[in-house]
Amino acid sequence: MQHNIFATMRSLNMIEGCKGTQIYAFNQSGKTTTNGYGGGGGVGEKFLQHLHERVSSVRSKSNRNYQAMQPKDSVKSAVLVEALASYGLPQTDFIEPQIESYLKSVNFVETLADVYRRMEGCSKFEISGMYLEQCAIFKGLSDPKLFRKCLKSGREHAVDVHSKVVLSAWLRFDRREDELIGVSAMDCCGRSIECPRSSLVSGYNPELAIDPCLCHQRPVQDEDTEVYIGDEECSTSISHDYEEEDYDMSFCMGEEEIRCRRFNMASLSRPFEVMLYDGFMESRREKINFSQNGISAKGMKAAEMFSRMKSVESFDPDTVLELLSLANKFCCNEMKSACDVYLASLVFDMDSAMLLIEYGLEETAYVLVAACLQVLLRELPNSMHNPNVSRLFCSSEGKDRLASAGHASFLLYYFLTRTAMEEDMKSNTTVMLLERLGEFSSLGWQKQLVFHQLGCVMLERKEYKDAQKWFEAAVEAGHVYSIAGIARAKYKRGHMYKAYKLMNSLISDCTPCGWMYQERSLYCHGKEKMMDLSTATELDPTLSYPYKYRSISMVEENRTEAAISEIDKIIGFKVSPDCLELRAWFLIALEDYEGALRDVRALLTLDPQYVMFHGKLQGDKLVELLRHTVQQRNQADCWMQLYDRWSSVDDIGSLGVVHHMLVNDPGKSLLLFRQSLLLLRLNCHRAAMRSLREARNQAASEHERLVYEGWILYDTGYREEAISKAEESISIQRSFEAFFLKAYVLSETNSDSESSLYVIQLLEEALRCPSDGLRKGQALSNLASIYVDVDKLDNAIDCYVNALTIKHTRAHQGLARVYHLKNQRKAAYDEMTKLIEKASYNASAYEKRSEYCDRELARSDLTMATKLDPLRTYPYRYKAAVLMDDHKESEAISELTKVIAFKPDLHLLHLRAAFHDSMNEPTSTIRDCEAALCLDSSHADTLELYSKARQRSNE
């Protein structure tokens, strides 16, 4: 049937006088898409309008008997066929991989090892900058926790106020706290590392940075009791320590005379001392005319008081601003510092920051500018929409003003460019910020990063000549990956053969990587192209472009089922919106509207703003169109469907159901929380956190909101704070989720028997609270796991069996583990077989079953696990260990090297280091240990191996 549909779509294109390729060509001059399949623009809106008219027509004609219509009603199918024809089919000639906008090393292990070596030898004043370099390296990895960990370490080891302000704001931005309703940018979240007050205190104190913040425990001063010194008070500025005769001089401000003590005024600064004591006329006068120095009588009275009291706390802000100006003119450092700190304490929101930053920049008040800068950064990305803020950060003049106040740096502009690129990579703001960043780049990695990012931005803006120039500069600075950017820019400028030669030369000169063959495949055709794509997948199976290209090629050959099988390969272990869109496209062609609707709903869960069909149709519009071609379900039906999907470990199907349920009940925080759990299981961390933040915002009660805040804290590395949120929630109302959160975090934090027994109590409390079967199944499984840890195997079996009773299918894996511990390997194997038969996603099941069978069956299962998910590291480690046992050392190391090339995992690096050590290769051992320690500097086994290898090397 699908062949006929594609023929119909092609004929419709011909009837309309526009082939698919012509649609692409027309769109390329329009608005750039978000998915990489082509352009969009005004023509898409016309198509959409036409499509809506057709749908409205169909609805009006069938309104009375709609409920009785079948899902594959011919009228509806015709509408969808026409829609596909209008938007054009995916074509291999118009898809291409994106040039990644981060640092990418040809030899990643050597890069990690080099960074670790340099960190070992740097001073405490340099270590924060080294962590920033690590952030740049880890940004391209799939695990966001590595980037966040380096960001936290950089803040912990920061010395100056400027670095602390920027890094604490970056940590807040990374958690997207600006999306939390009711949370102010300047709120203290309870951690010193992100507290806005602690950021304004200079000094190296990494231990203090990770402590709980004490600012909430400080006594709150009553602002209403503050005393402002007015003219009347200043005019009689005589303290109890001074009598009238102690004043031996006066400053005259017009008609007013401010009595002072010469010694006190001279102590304010060296210029005052010279003026009042070192032979100038003023040194011999009792009255000094000070009218021409730009300070009022009120300000001079305050200066006199400061000369005695050394404090500005009792003055009003306008007077302190005058004192700050006077302090700058006469180099009164102590008074300037006091004014600086006082004014900084008045900065608490955008309005006060924008008002005071001008004074701070004018008077180069370091702390005041830091306080204002902190607000602007903690309000990102919204603050950049303010034209004054944008002008300050983007312009050369603004950069120079910040630099004169000590607040312009590579760190600052690196943070600003990251936020700008995430919001709009092609904007002028992004370009200007990158230009400012380039002006602060001095180290090699900094220049590589800036030049490469400028190249990527220019490529997106279709300014190919400039893109080539910047990519060439990045290569000149040492960034080999930018050669791919040069090749792409040449290709876009019409020099396809030059691009091919460039990539061919790179492959010849370097150790080949998957991305090299992927890039070269763009510049060749036929069998050579397919061979390059196959090699790219072999070297790096995580690259999505080869799967997409092959699947679209199959569609062009009318092999749609094969195309779906091909795209399924990568969706099985790496879910992304573009791949889900392709599969939905193919499923529509097969008239599998239920499957297509599932994929589009899952896609919109990952990216709610995704635009389908070459950037011309909003995803939710396609959902609306597809929804009327399938059986309609109410909320109760959806819950039943969710149970079925969940029990069959169909996470994408579950996402589709939850998305449907949220459309019916958009404010349901429980569903948003379920959505975040599914996204985490699919390794979609960013989308998961977005759902979790939305669940927190939609929470109907305080105790529920606290639970979601606890999960946010846990997922961003703050375990103690997460436990505190759970306890606070329990104190308000005992609930399943609060007990479960506390138990989960404690089980991850402590592994001793006493802690395990406490976790058991918490999980038992959770199970006594109301909840649905989906969550109770998870709790029973977790409880069983803890029982196993404390050697209560019979209790564990009971929990796993109860979990299976309520369709928590993953409990088969835990039950198999218990049978294995009881030396019942056959039962364990059978249990995992049941999981494989039930689960839609079963790479982990094959991997786990391999532990319960002989070597040959184990190899077969591990081969299947790797085929389903090449990112799972255990199969590679097992195969390498077997090869080592068979004295095939070179093959064992080659097996590990193959996977390390696309997944630099801590355990893989440690194992390869151990293999090198057993072969008496200390240099390679040390390199792999250093790379592993760069990923986790506290890994005990690697530290021990590293110490022994270095000692042996020195000997």
Side-chain angles (χ1 to χ4, degrees), residues 466-523:
D466 286 338
Q468 183 176 330
K469 178 190 74 174
W470 287 116
F471 283 132
E472 287 170 348
V475 173
E476 184 69 23
H479 192 234
V480 176
Y481 175 62
S482 294
I483 292 176
I486 298 173
R488 191 74 63 87
K490 286 179 180 290
Y491 170 63
K492 294 293 185 181
R493 297 177 67 193
H495 307 302
M496 183 171 175
Y497 181 62
K498 289 182 179 179
Y500 178 85
K501 283 181 63 179
L502 189 60
M503 292 310 301
N504 200 48
S505 176
L506 178 62
I507 291 171
S508 300
D509 295 341
C510 299
T511 302
C513 300
W515 60 263
M516 297 178 187
Y517 285 94
Q518 173 180 268
E519 190 65 29
R520 192 176 71 173
S521 72
L522 295 177
Y523 317 127

Side-chain angles (χ1 to χ4, degrees), residues 108-109 112 141-143 539-542 683 869-874 876 896-909 935:
F108 194 67
V109 173
L112 292 178
L141 300 182
S142 59
D143 185 0
L539 292 174
D540 186 352
T542 67
N683 292 318
D869 184 354
L871 290 174
R872 304 192 71 84
T873 61
Y874 174 76
Y876 303 102
L896 293 175
T897 301
K898 180 174 64 176
V899 63
I900 288 171
F902 63 85
K903 185 175 176 60
D905 176 78
L906 169 68
H907 301 290
L908 291 171
L909 286 165
L935 297 173

Side-chain angles (χ1 to χ4, degrees), residues 787-788 791-801 818 822:
Y787 275 133
V788 172
D791 202 28
K792 294 184 177 181
L793 301 184
D794 291 334
N795 298 76
I797 290 175
D798 291 340
C799 288
Y800 283 129
V801 169
V818 177
K822 292 169 76 74

Side-chain angles (χ1 to χ4, degrees), residues 668-680:
K668 195 70 171 178
S669 58
L670 175 66
L671 291 173
L672 288 162
F673 180 54
R674 293 290 191 278
Q675 190 178 74
S676 72
L677 297 175
L678 287 164
L679 289 165
L680 281 175

Side-chain angles (χ1 to χ4, degrees), residues 754-951:
E754 185 177 345
S755 298
S756 296
L757 292 174
Y758 183 48
V759 170
I760 288 172
Q761 293 178 23
L762 291 171
L763 287 171
E764 288 173 344
E765 288 293 335
L767 288 165
R768 293 189 188 102
C769 298
S771 185
D772 58 75
L774 299 177
R775 293 298 281 159
K776 289 211 169 185
Q778 182 66 61
L780 284 165
S781 190
N782 286 20
L783 178 58
S785 178
I786 304 299
Y787 275 133
V788 172
D789 291 341
V790 296
D791 202 28
K792 294 184 177 181
L793 301 184
D794 291 334
N795 298 76
I797 290 175
D798 291 340
C799 288
Y800 283 129
V801 169
N802 289 334
L804 288 170
T805 302
I806 52 178
K807 293 189 174 182
H808 185 71
T809 307
R810 285 182 170 87
H812 281 298
Q813 183 166 319
L815 194 55
R817 179 189 173 201
V818 177
Y819 287 145
H820 177 63
L821 292 172
K822 292 169 76 74
N823 293 319
Q824 300 173 17
R825 284 171 59 85
K826 178 64 167 59
Y829 183 88
D830 291 342
E831 206 64 39
M832 291 309 302
T833 302
K834 292 176 186 176
L835 178 57
I836 290 170
E837 291 169 351
K838 292 181 181 179
S840 298
Y841 170 81
N842 47 29
S844 61
Y846 278 109
E847 179 184 295
K848 198 66 181 175
R849 192 176 71 170
S850 70
E851 299 178 23
Y852 311 134
C853 54
D854 59 40
R855 178 178 286 194
E856 287 306 313
L857 286 175
R859 281 181 176 175
S860 175
D861 277 355
L862 290 175
T863 299
M864 179 59 74
T866 301
K867 180 180 178 182
L868 294 171
D869 184 354
L871 290 174
R872 304 192 71 84
T873 61
Y874 174 76
Y876 303 102
R877 301 197 329 252
Y878 177 87
K879 293 174 192 174
V882 169
L883 289 168
M884 282 297 287
D885 287 343
D886 293 340
H887 304 289
K888 298 177 180 178
E889 292 86 354
S890 298
E891 293 178 41
I893 289 176
S894 177
E895 181 71 24
L896 293 175
T897 301
K898 180 174 64 176
V899 63
I900 288 171
F902 63 85
K903 185 175 176 60
D905 176 78
L906 169 68
H907 301 290
L908 291 171
L909 286 165
H910 172 76
L911 184 59
R912 192 172 72 171
F915 287 177
H916 281 305
D917 185 61
S918 68
M919 296 168 65
N920 196 25
E921 296 178 358
T923 302
S924 298
T925 304
I926 291 171
R927 178 205 60 204
D928 283 351
C929 284
E930 288 171 339
L933 292 171
C934 189
L935 297 173
D936 183 0
S937 60
S938 62
H939 193 249
D941 291 341
T942 304
L943 283 169
E944 182 181 357
L945 180 60
Y946 182 50
S947 176
K948 291 178 179 177
R950 289 182 65 182
Q951 184 178 357

Side-chain angles (χ1 to χ4, degrees), residues 251 253 260 265 268-269 271-272 275 290 292-307 318-333 335-336 339 363:
F251 284 103
M253 323 293 293
C260 304
M265 294 302 295
L268 288 177
S269 71
F272 268 117
M275 178 179 69
F290 220 63
Q292 305 302 315
N293 285 285
I295 187 169
S296 67
K298 181 181 177 182
M300 203 62 204
K301 290 173 188 176
E304 187 279 325
M305 287 192 68
F306 181 84
S307 73
D318 288 339
T319 302
V320 177
L321 285 169
E322 268 200 279
L323 285 180
L324 179 62
S325 179
L326 177 69
N328 254 343
K329 286 181 180 178
F330 289 89
C331 303
C332 305
N333 294 331
M335 186 161 70
K336 179 177 181 178
C339 293
E363 303 296 342

Side-chain angles (χ1 to χ4, degrees), residues 656-671:
V657 177
V658 171
H659 183 275
H660 184 187
M661 297 170 77
L662 282 168
V663 171
N664 297 335
D665 192 0
K668 195 70 171 178
S669 58
L670 175 66
L671 291 173

